[in-house]
Amino acid sequence: MLPGQPPTFRQPSAADRPWWWRLEDASGEAVEVAGHSDQRFANQGDAESWVGEIWAELAEQGVAAVTLFEHDRQVYGPMSLSA
């Protein structure tokens, strides 16, 4: 029997990357933004850095606020993206 693939060769699971942002419209409903809605992060710092770098692009695509989660636990938010 062969061993499972090492972590380097497999896609990270939700357990490996538990941090994620819910992208929300002005009414607070979750919205999907292609290429951004499925982003997951290994730690809170990486998640916060990502949203700090991309918030203006998200706002241009109709995202009014973001809420940070660790797995299913809401950490904080909603946080407005208006400048």
Side-chain angles (χ1 to χ4, degrees):
M1 173 185 278
L2 296 174
Q5 287 189 342
T8 306
F9 298 109
R10 65 175 169 77
Q11 289 293 333
S13 68
D16 295 329
R17 296 183 178 266
W19 296 87
W20 59 281
W21 293 98
R22 182 176 64 212
L23 310 179
E24 302 169 0
D25 63 16
S27 67
E29 294 296 316
V31 295
E32 297 289 320
V33 177
H36 298 304
S37 297
D38 59 350
Q39 295 292 318
R40 295 189 71 96
F41 306 91
N43 58 61
Q44 184 173 355
D46 288 350
E48 291 171 338
S49 292
W50 177 83
V51 86
E53 293 170 7
I54 199 136
W55 72 269
E57 182 180 334
L58 293 172
E60 287 175 5
Q61 296 186 40
V63 177
V66 292
T67 299
L68 182 64
F69 287 85
E70 180 185 23
H71 295 290
D72 293 331
R73 179 180 69 91
Q74 181 175 335
V75 178
Y76 63 80
M79 180 175 66
S80 174
L81 297 185
S82 60

